[in-house]
Amino acid sequence: MADTLQYPPGCAYIDGRYVPMAEAKISVLDWGLLRSDATYDVVHVWKGRFFRLDAHVARFRAGIGKLRMQLSMSDGKLTGVLAECVRRSGLDDAYVEMILTRGVSPTFSRDPRDAVNTFIAFAVPLGSVANDEQMARGLDLHISNVQRIAPESVDPTVKNYHWLDLVAGLYAAYDSGAENVILVDAAGRISEGPGFNVFAVTGGRVTTPDRGVLEGITRRTALELLAEMGVEARAAPLGVAELKAADEAFITSTAGGIMPIGRIDVDPIGAGAPGPLTRRLTDLYWAKHVDPAWSVAVADLPAGGPS
Ligand SMILES: *Cc1c(COP(=O)(O)O)cnc(C)c1O
């Protein structure tokens, strides 16, 4: 069985050791598996440089605090471990994930306070929500009537693995012939998709949903870069009709950056091709990846920071 499973190249850090991806395994009694009780973050490395590493680490720490979990490692040790995973993977472009699960309770008790939190990290090849062809023509998306989990139920600002709604939406999208999905909220407004935020450009003004979504680092980056470009951009409620009537629309994720929407439920968005503002924003986003104010070289982060 084991040799029929395929693993991507890469390197993981688990139980305090660096191992190939095939050896990175958790207990079946881990609450991360049994209850989806975990938080995580994903940062990317492009041409040997982490992009906005500090922001990802800060969001990870905030999520850990909100879930009342504990990570004893210092930020220096944490970023050192992430860098060492990348170095050992040999990758120049990497998808780097850090995870804290509730862990295993030694007595299998039902009290989350008894579990010993488990830290895992790994670096694998950098993937994207949109492939090259989709980047050139714009993604074909479906708006599902599956509702995103309410923010009153699960705090969406804690990056989490509660994805059954998103996965149900993906199947609905595939059934309709689309490539990916956007979920709505209880009021029928736009929320987000599987691992990405949504933006609409109307009359030169840019809107992204203000609540019920993970506050993406790429979403924040897009808002900041639009301000730098002198474009009015805001987080505010976004209706389905408003998105479908937009001049341009795009999605944002650490896995792929700024990615154009070409069609929603068959109807073209704007000209049905990546719009001029989306293209300018995409160019500026990638230009920031070599700017030391926004990125840090993997080689500049020592593995063995203080624990
Ligand atoms: C990670 C994620 C995003 C995008 O966040 P980035 O920090 O830009 O990668 C959006 N929505 C959900 C549900 C996510 O998990």
Side-chain angles (χ1 to χ4, degrees):
M1 182 65 187
D3 34 301
T4 65
L5 291 172
Q6 296 288 307
Y7 291 90
C11 175
Y13 178 87
I14 185 166
D15 297 329
R17 292 192 311 131
Y18 295 97
V19 296
M21 290 311 295
E23 288 170 34
K25 298 187 175 166
I26 62 162
S27 165
V28 295
L29 294 181
D30 194 307
W31 282 51
L33 173 69
L34 298 178
R35 308 272 194 272
S36 284
D37 189 347
T39 186
Y40 73 110
D41 218 286
V42 177
V43 57
H44 71 253
V45 168
W46 192 67
K47 296 189 174 167
R49 299 180 73 83
F50 281 102
F51 187 63
R52 305 203 78 172
L53 179 57
D54 294 350
H56 287 277
V57 167
R59 185 174 64 182
F60 184 51
R61 291 253 183 230
I64 290 169
K66 288 179 194 166
L67 297 185
R68 301 177 68 166
M69 299 202 294
Q70 235 126 44
L71 176 65
S72 53
M73 164 186 302
S74 68
D75 281 358
K77 173 72 182 174
L78 171 57
T79 56
V81 165
L82 300 176
E84 188 62 16
C85 285
V86 176
R87 273 192 293 273
R88 290 180 184 233
S89 76
L91 296 163
D92 278 336
D93 302 329
Y95 178 102
V96 185
E97 184 152 342
M98 62 205 95
I99 305 165
L100 194 68
T101 72
R102 186 74 59 190
V104 175
S105 154
T107 58
F108 198 49
S109 98
R110 303 185 67 85
D111 185 336
R113 294 170 300 184
D114 294 338
V116 180
N117 303 164
T118 303
F119 175 75
I120 305 164
F122 62 82
V124 293
L126 179 58
S128 172
V129 176
N131 62 31
D132 290 347
E133 191 220 325
Q134 292 165 334
M135 286 297 289
R137 67 160 153 81
L139 284 154
D140 275 357
L141 300 187
H142 168 60
I143 296 179
S144 171
N145 47 23
V146 174
Q147 280 174 22
R148 185 70 176 118
I149 296 178
E152 293 80 5
S153 300
V154 173
D155 182 347
T157 67
V158 178
K159 200 167 166 72
N160 68 68
Y161 295 125
H162 293 273
W163 272 52
L164 295 187
D165 51 353
L166 296 166
V167 172
L170 270 176
Y171 276 97
Y174 301 149
D175 289 346
S176 79
E179 295 163 333
N180 216 316
V181 72
I182 296 170
L183 302 196
V184 294
D185 64 15
R189 295 201 188 99
I190 297 298
S191 66
E192 62 186 337
F196 59 79
N197 294 110
V198 179
F199 286 73
V201 184
T202 304
R205 186 163 82 163
V206 183
T207 306
T208 190
D210 57 339
R211 65 186 297 274
V213 298
L214 188 271
E215 291 169 0
I217 304 299
T218 324
R219 171 180 178 271
R220 188 199 306 174
T221 301
L223 292 170
E224 290 174 10
L225 295 182
L226 287 163
E228 193 177 310
M229 289 160 64
V231 174
E232 192 191 337
R234 58 184 191 145
L238 177 62
V240 170
E242 196 186 335
L243 175 61
K244 290 179 91 170
D247 303 324
E248 303 180 32
F250 58 89
I251 63 170
T252 63
S253 170
T254 293
I258 316 285
M259 297 165 278
I261 301 176
R263 246 157 297 276
I264 294 179
D265 291 316
V266 184
D267 294 333
I269 300 303
L277 184 64
T278 304
R279 279 190 272 114
R280 274 170 58 215
L281 177 62
T282 306
D283 290 347
L284 186 57
Y285 172 80
W286 288 105
K288 293 293 185 190
H289 283 62
V290 293
D291 182 341
W294 295 72
S295 66
V296 60
V298 174
D300 288 345
L301 297 167
S307 63

